[in-house]
Amino acid sequence: MKPKKSRRAFLKNLSTSAALAAGVPTAMAAGMRRPASVQYLHSTQKGKKATANDNIRIAVIGTGGMGIGDVNTALMVDGVEVVAACDLYDGRLVRAKELWGKDLFTTKDYREILERSDVDAVINATTDHWHQKICLDAMEKGKHVYCEKPMVQKSEDGHAIIAMQKRTGKVFQVGSQYVSSIIHAKAKELIEAGEIGEINFAEAQIDRHSARGAWQYTLPLDASPETVDWDTYLGQAPDRPWDPLRFFRWRNYRDYGTGVAGDLYVHMLSMLHFVTGSKGPNRVLATGGLRYWKDGRDVPDLHLGLFDYPESPEHPAFNLALRTNLVSGGGDNFLFRIVGSEGDISIGFSGLTLRKTPFPDDPGMSLNSFPEAMQQAIKADHYKKYPSKASLVGPSVFEFKVPADYKGDRYEHFVNFFDSIRTGKAVVEDAVFGLRASGPTEAGNISYFEKKIMGWDPDKMELHSNV
């Protein structure tokens, strides 16, 4: 990211002379009472106490693992109650009542939820191929929408959601919760302050080594056409006979999901775009294969992606490398790292680490292959330009940690969503942001399956072939 302030101006803004002498980042200066290498992050969300008039009543459409997790997190926010749930499997409707009360309204037809006057907002936690239609229908009926990622299965579907949100004025937020994390807010602050210089590279890895991590979710013993509304589930997808794997393990199939790219890479792109202010890449190349989980799925379990980010007003040109391996014998692994000319930032689930390695003023000399007399002459000239002088050496590694009582980024994301409903302020991840994250992941899927480089226009938010 292009720093918004010059290094000189940045140093002038440091709040203590001790911070100046040690080269401590701005974000560290206020915490000088603690050891210089550790700073505890604190939530920016104060979450004012909601009054009875502020109560928001939500419904969830899709009560699988993600839907349950979303509702349980949403209920942590003051003034939120769940009044209805929809799913196409009977057992999940029973489970919804067990979790949220026997008086909860449940249905297999999401349209019944949209007709209810006691529903202010819906959580759309359905399969990817249902995202667009349910979001459009919900906003048309006057409901605010929290839509799980990826926002849409196909990028061309995203423009209708953008238009609907503008027309109705309803709050719409995509559920890549990391963009609400105080960890990523700190990363954004450090990058904008010029702490790592100019970005030139970023990388992310999400490796898993478990059946559940590879989407082999447990099947209920009563799964059948009698307990599942299979015909409704198919929607606009190709007509197929009943198959419990395609319903309960839908991420494994292109008809309903978006594979590794839509499930995981969209998170990485969302995080990167948030901390850099980027609109997205313009060139995408992907490869990989189905190496281990040959269980009938038609998406790869090893996926590699390369993304070219062009120069923009927000940042210089840089490259991004993504990797996911769903059969990583070395164990689970997570990495998100942004590299600049003077340092890098590594982001984890509980904090981040800033490493600073600025270029020295003295570039050094390479003399070995020159005659002795030439070496001496070069040295004499070099030391005139770069005289030796003592200087203080400050810390080069800084750790930032979330506090023990931090409620997590998903909670922060819902606080943002409900605050937007109550106050009208902008959400942190609207439909435009969501499409700019999901579109390049679709480009990666096309690149993988069609074995070609794909182009993405980050301004128009459109796919195109890149010859």
Side-chain angles (χ1 to χ4, degrees), residues 342-353:
E342 296 190 10
D344 67 10
I345 294 174
S346 295
I347 299 173
F349 293 118
S350 60
L352 65 85
T353 300

Side-chain angles (χ1 to χ4, degrees), residues 98-345:
E98 292 174 349
L99 289 170
W100 304 312
K102 61 183 178 59
D103 294 328
L104 184 79
F105 174 79
T106 60
T107 179
K108 285 187 175 181
D109 187 344
Y110 76 88
R111 294 171 298 182
E112 293 185 359
I113 282 178
L114 301 186
E115 293 295 338
R116 293 180 64 94
S117 61
D118 62 345
V119 173
D120 301 308
V122 299
I123 295 172
N124 184 356
T126 59
T127 54
D128 298 348
H129 78 302
W130 269 103
H131 281 186
Q132 190 220 36
K133 179 167 176 52
I134 292 175
C135 288
L136 293 177
D137 289 350
M139 285 187 283
E140 186 74 68
K141 290 293 185 179
K143 312 303 182 186
H144 305 291
V145 177
Y146 182 101
C147 179
E148 267 304 333
K149 51 78 199 168
M151 185 178 85
V152 286
Q153 187 185 37
K154 304 294 183 184
S155 58
E156 63 262 27
D157 294 341
H159 295 276
I161 293 180
I162 293 171
M164 180 66 78
Q165 193 281 321
K166 289 181 179 178
R167 181 170 71 81
T168 63
K170 295 291 108 178
V171 174
F172 180 90
Q173 176 145 297
V174 183
S176 287
Q177 67 273 7
Y178 298 128
V179 303
S180 289
S181 168
I182 58 174
I183 300 171
H184 293 90
K186 179 59 66 177
K188 182 180 182 70
E189 176 188 335
L190 293 170
I191 291 171
E192 288 182 347
E195 285 299 332
I196 64 171
E198 290 198 351
I199 295 171
N200 54 65
F201 177 68
E203 62 180 333
Q205 299 170 11
I206 306 177
D207 295 334
R208 295 175 172 178
H209 195 243
S210 69
R212 286 177 56 201
W215 309 320
Q216 280 205 335
Y217 304 133
T218 302
L219 304 180
L221 300 179
D222 65 348
S224 72
E226 286 68 45
T227 59
V228 173
D229 187 345
W230 176 250
D231 290 338
T232 296
Y233 170 75
L234 289 177
Q236 299 300 311
D239 189 27
R240 295 180 185 274
W242 159 249
D243 185 345
L245 295 180
R246 285 179 171 268
F247 184 84
F248 290 100
R249 297 178 180 174
W250 59 271
R251 290 195 187 279
N252 292 320
Y253 303 95
R254 298 172 68 188
D255 286 350
Y256 328 107
T258 46
V260 163
D263 182 32
L264 302 177
Y265 286 176
V266 73
H267 274 316
M268 303 297 103
L269 292 175
S270 296
M271 293 192 299
L272 183 65
H273 296 177
F274 173 75
V275 300
T276 63
S278 179
K279 292 180 180 178
N282 63 356
R283 190 168 179 265
V284 182
L285 171 65
T287 187
L290 188 55
R291 308 303 187 204
Y292 181 85
W293 295 105
K294 299 175 183 179
D295 51 6
R297 69 182 65 199
D298 56 21
V299 294
D301 56 13
L302 176 66
H303 198 282
L304 310 170
L306 296 174
F307 300 75
D308 290 350
Y309 280 73
E311 182 177 4
S312 73
E314 293 77 25
H315 55 72
F318 67 90
N319 298 91
L320 167 68
L322 300 180
R323 183 191 82 199
T324 292
N325 184 358
L326 298 183
V327 57
S328 179
D332 293 354
N333 177 57
F334 177 83
L335 168 69
F336 179 41
R337 188 167 73 105
I338 302 170
V339 182
S341 57
E342 296 190 10
D344 67 10
I345 294 174

Side-chain angles (χ1 to χ4, degrees), residues 362-411:
D362 186 341
M365 294 176 281
S366 53
L367 304 175
N368 234 9
S369 61
F370 300 155
E372 185 67 31
M374 179 59 70
Q375 291 187 34
Q376 295 305 318
I378 290 174
K379 286 180 180 179
D381 181 68
H382 181 88
Y383 291 133
K384 288 179 183 177
K385 295 178 181 177
Y386 305 102
S388 179
K389 59 181 180 180
S391 60
L392 292 173
V393 178
S396 60
V397 178
F398 303 89
E399 291 185 57
F400 299 81
K401 299 290 186 181
V402 298
D405 60 351
Y406 183 52
K407 294 181 179 180
D409 43 41
R410 188 186 288 192
Y411 168 79

Side-chain angles (χ1 to χ4, degrees), residues 159 279-281 310 312-314 432 436 456-462:
H159 295 276
K279 292 180 180 178
S312 73
E314 293 77 25
V432 171
R436 284 184 169 141
W456 169 256
D457 187 322
D459 292 306
K460 296 180 179 179
M461 297 173 283
E462 294 175 349

